[in-house]
Structures are given as C-alpha cells and as structure tokens.
Amino acid sequence: MATITGPIDVSALRARLDRASAAAEQAGVDALLISPGSDLRYLIGAGGDSFERLTCLALPVGGTPTLVVPKLEQPGYAAIPTDELGVEVVTWVDGEDPYALVKAAIKGDRTAVADMMPALHTIKLGHAIGGAQSLAGPIIRELRMRKDASEIDALRKAGQAIDRVHARMGEFLRVGRTEREVAKDIAQAIVEEGHTVADFVIVGSGPNGASPHHRDSDRVVQAGEVVVIDIGGPVAEGYNSDSTRTYVMGEPTYDDVWDTYAVLQAAQKAAVEAVKPGVTCEEIDAVARTVIADAGFGEFFVHRTGHGIGLDVHEEPYIVSGNSLPLEAGMAFSVEPGIYLPGRWGARIEDIVVATADGVESFNNRPHELVVL
C-alpha cells in the first residue's frame, strides 16, 4: 500500500515530472518505468513498497505519465492529486496483464527502469515491451542530487529533530545497561522528537565501536568506555536525518582517547569548512583523510567521508576518493570521518550539510567534542 505522510506540493511535483521526462529524452530513452520507492515518492509524493503485483509509473517522453496500479492498491494513491499532476491512473485486477498496460502507456521500446525495481517486474516488462532496458538511476539521480528549498527545509527539520535526541543521550546511555536496552530507548526518542520511525540505531560500546556498522548487542556498557551513537530516521516529508556523536562513560580507560579524538574532530571540522560549490567530492574526502593520515591513523579510517542524503539515507553524491563530481548548491550529504582501533575503541563524528551558493550549512549543531556522561 502506498504511504503519504507529508504535504504534497503539486507545482513542485509537476516540475519534477517535466524535468524527469526531459532528462529521459536527453539520455536517449523513450520512457522511465518507476516502481514504488524513493524515486516514485520524489516524482508523485507517494512512498511504499513493491510486491508481487506490479505498480509502475510509466513516464514517456512527451506523453502522459501513467500510474499502473492494482485495483486493490488504488485507495493508497487516492490522496495523490493525479488530475492536477497530469497523471493518468490505470488499474488492473488479478488475471489481467499489467505489463501490457505499461507497454500501451508508452511509445517506443527504449526504457529505463528504476534501480530498485524487483527482477520479477523488470524481466517481465522487458519481455512485454522488448527493446533495450537500462537503469533509470543515472537519470533520476541528476535531479535528486540537487535539493530544492522545500527539500532543504525538510532536511533541516530532520537534523534538528535528531539533534534533540542526542541532547537527551544522558537519559539512555548509562553504565550497566546493555547496548540493546540503550538502543530501544533511543528508537523511542527518535519518534518522540519528530521522526515517523527510527530507521537505524547504532550503539557501539568499547571494542564494538571499532566496527563502523555494528548495530547493538547484549554487551553491557562499562565505565571508562567510548561509545559511538549513530542514529537517524525520516520525518513526515520523507527526508532523513543521520547523525553520529561519540560519548565516553566517565574518565576514559585508554590514555590515547583524548588526543586521538582531537585528531578526528579536527578532520571533521576541516572537511565541513572545505565544502563550497566547485570543490569536488573527492577533495572533501581528501581533506578529512589527510588530517587523519598525517596524525598516523590513516589505516584506521576505513570508509568514505560521506554520502548524499534525502528520501534515501544513502544516495548521491558520495564523498569518496575517485568521485570528481564538483559540488553544487543544494547538494546535501554527510561528513563523517572515523577512527577505529580494532579490539579497543572507535569514534565517529557525523553532520549532514548542504552546499550553499557561497559555502556550507550544517543541519546538525550538537557539540562535536567527546561528550562525557
């Protein structure tokens, strides 16, 4: 079933549909075929998931966008102002061929399908339509990478909401509690502070903090341990937060914590300050990486410096070596270097930022120091 949790801006969505059609034409395809997911939400304001029954927005170049949807799923899309958007809705029932309905809605046979469309539907659409199939991601991501004012407002709202959760960390993160107990309380707070759901909660205590994608466990938080808390989720508009702060339970057990953390803090600060239009993604990555490497911790920074964020937690642009894409105003992404000392402890600092016309704005504004609880 489709999900519509935020306001619908008809003029913005209509403009996105027009830009997507134009981008498809420029890319040399006849139609975009978009299944439920973040791309569909971006284009018509409705989220949801793909199932065995096909739901597909057929967006032909120079033609009428057509939403092919099972009749039993249609009520979920009733709040979408399809008439105002110029979208035709075509329903089908079990026993009918929805793939033929998609074929009838487009002209030509060069199609670009949503990156996350299930193979079940991708293959059957290919058989029904024939011609060449490609991925729609490279076309749609060029639009989604550059956030408009309403998207930036939603990301700002999400950043403020997750900051409020970090401000309450002393309520949850205490010596003697398990990571899982802490995570459960944080997840509840994420919703209380304005998210629709807690999308992820990482509580990495002691040596678990040296695993960047550790989630939580029955490990008990001990005095003197460093704890990495990485949390986020969507607000009603569908846009996500993602913020990491690192805490220590009293005086650190290891003597190197303060000096090592100071290196990380300097690296994250330098990378954020380097953000402005024209600077490439890989240059931002290099700024953070150089500070950490020069201090002798290069081998312990084991991931990219950041990822784009919006309707997906991870999307373009990626702040990583080899990505020569120049930043533009409206590009939003994380800046999150980390230092991970296997078997001992780890630390990460993460803010979501957006490139502005002349610099950078951070959506996260909690203190970057190592917080003692």
Side-chain angles (χ1 to χ4, degrees):
M1 184 69 72
T3 56
I4 303 166
T5 56
I8 294 176
D9 185 334
V10 173
S11 61
L13 294 178
R14 180 67 256 184
R16 290 175 187 176
L17 288 166
D18 291 341
R19 290 200 305 272
S21 178
E25 182 176 26
Q26 186 175 7
V29 301
D30 298 313
L32 301 177
L33 305 180
I34 307 299
S35 53
S38 58
D39 284 344
L40 187 65
R41 182 161 190 171
Y42 179 78
L43 292 170
I44 66 171
D49 299 303
S50 285
F51 301 102
E52 76 274 16
R53 295 182 176 94
L54 177 72
T55 294
C56 179
L57 175 68
L59 183 55
V61 171
T64 301
T66 301
L67 182 66
V68 175
V69 60
K71 193 171 184 64
L72 81 168
E73 298 285 347
Q74 184 184 11
Y77 294 89
I80 298 297
T82 50
D83 289 344
E84 295 176 68
L85 290 175
V87 174
E88 182 180 354
V89 178
V90 176
T91 63
W92 63 280
V93 297
D94 291 346
E96 295 181 338
D97 183 359
Y99 307 99
L101 296 177
V102 173
K103 177 178 174 61
I106 66 175
K107 297 178 180 179
D109 60 5
R110 298 171 301 171
T111 56
V113 299
D115 288 14
M116 300 302 175
M117 181 182 287
L120 167 70
H121 299 314
T122 302
I123 293 172
K124 289 183 178 180
L125 283 167
H127 289 162
I129 298 170
Q133 277 187 334
S134 59
L135 290 175
I139 299 171
I140 299 295
R141 75 170 58 111
E142 287 298 313
L143 309 180
R144 289 182 53 179
M145 266 199 303
R146 299 160 181 84
K147 270 57 178 183
D148 61 26
S150 65
E151 293 178 288
I152 290 171
D153 284 343
L155 285 168
R156 188 181 292 118
K157 173 183 175 180
Q160 292 168 350
I162 209 67
D163 277 0
R164 292 194 293 271
V165 179
H166 275 294
R168 295 175 55 187
M169 202 53 60
E171 299 176 31
F172 323 123
L173 181 55
R174 297 190 298 273
V175 170
R177 304 195 75 201
T178 68
E179 294 175 346
R180 189 159 291 127
E181 289 170 336
V182 174
K184 181 179 178 180
D185 287 347
I186 292 174
Q188 180 177 332
I190 287 173
V191 175
E192 290 172 351
E193 295 298 341
H195 299 79
T196 58
V197 67
D199 190 59
F200 58 92
V201 178
I202 291 175
V203 180
S205 64
N208 286 343
S211 175
H213 279 178
H214 173 78
R215 286 287 184 153
D216 59 55
S217 72
D218 290 327
R219 188 181 187 281
V220 175
V221 178
Q222 304 291 323
E225 289 187 332
V226 177
V227 185
V228 178
I229 304 290
D230 185 349
I231 53 179
V235 292
E237 292 84 352
Y239 289 79
N240 287 276
S241 65
D242 185 2
S243 178
T244 308
R245 290 295 185 267
T246 302
Y247 302 84
V248 63
M249 313 312 293
E251 184 62 27
T253 301
Y254 293 106
D255 293 337
D256 60 348
V257 167
W258 292 112
D259 289 344
T260 305
Y261 188 86
V263 172
L264 177 63
Q265 189 175 348
Q268 202 268 348
K269 181 174 185 290
V272 170
E273 291 177 346
V275 174
K276 63 180 179 180
V279 177
T280 66
C281 294
E282 63 182 356
E283 286 173 336
I284 302 301
D285 180 83
V287 168
R289 204 164 297 280
T290 297
V291 173
I292 291 172
D294 286 352
F297 297 102
E299 66 182 293
F300 303 113
F301 179 15
V302 295
H303 55 73
R304 65 195 172 209
T305 294
H307 56 82
I309 191 168
L311 291 170
D312 289 316
V313 178
H314 287 188
E315 59 183 52
E316 299 279 355
Y318 292 101
I319 311 303
V320 64
S321 175
N323 187 359
S324 60
L325 178 73
L327 295 176
E328 298 178 31
M331 290 184 176
F333 49 90
S334 67
V335 178
E336 51 174 307
I339 296 175
Y340 309 97
L341 306 176
R344 300 176 69 228
W345 62 279
R348 182 165 63 255
I349 306 170
E350 177 183 17
D351 292 328
I352 300 301
V353 304
V354 62
T356 63
D358 56 1
V360 62
E361 176 188 349
S362 177
F363 297 140
N364 299 112
N365 294 288
R366 291 295 301 162
H368 295 83
E369 290 77 18
L370 181 62
V371 178
V372 179
L373 295 178

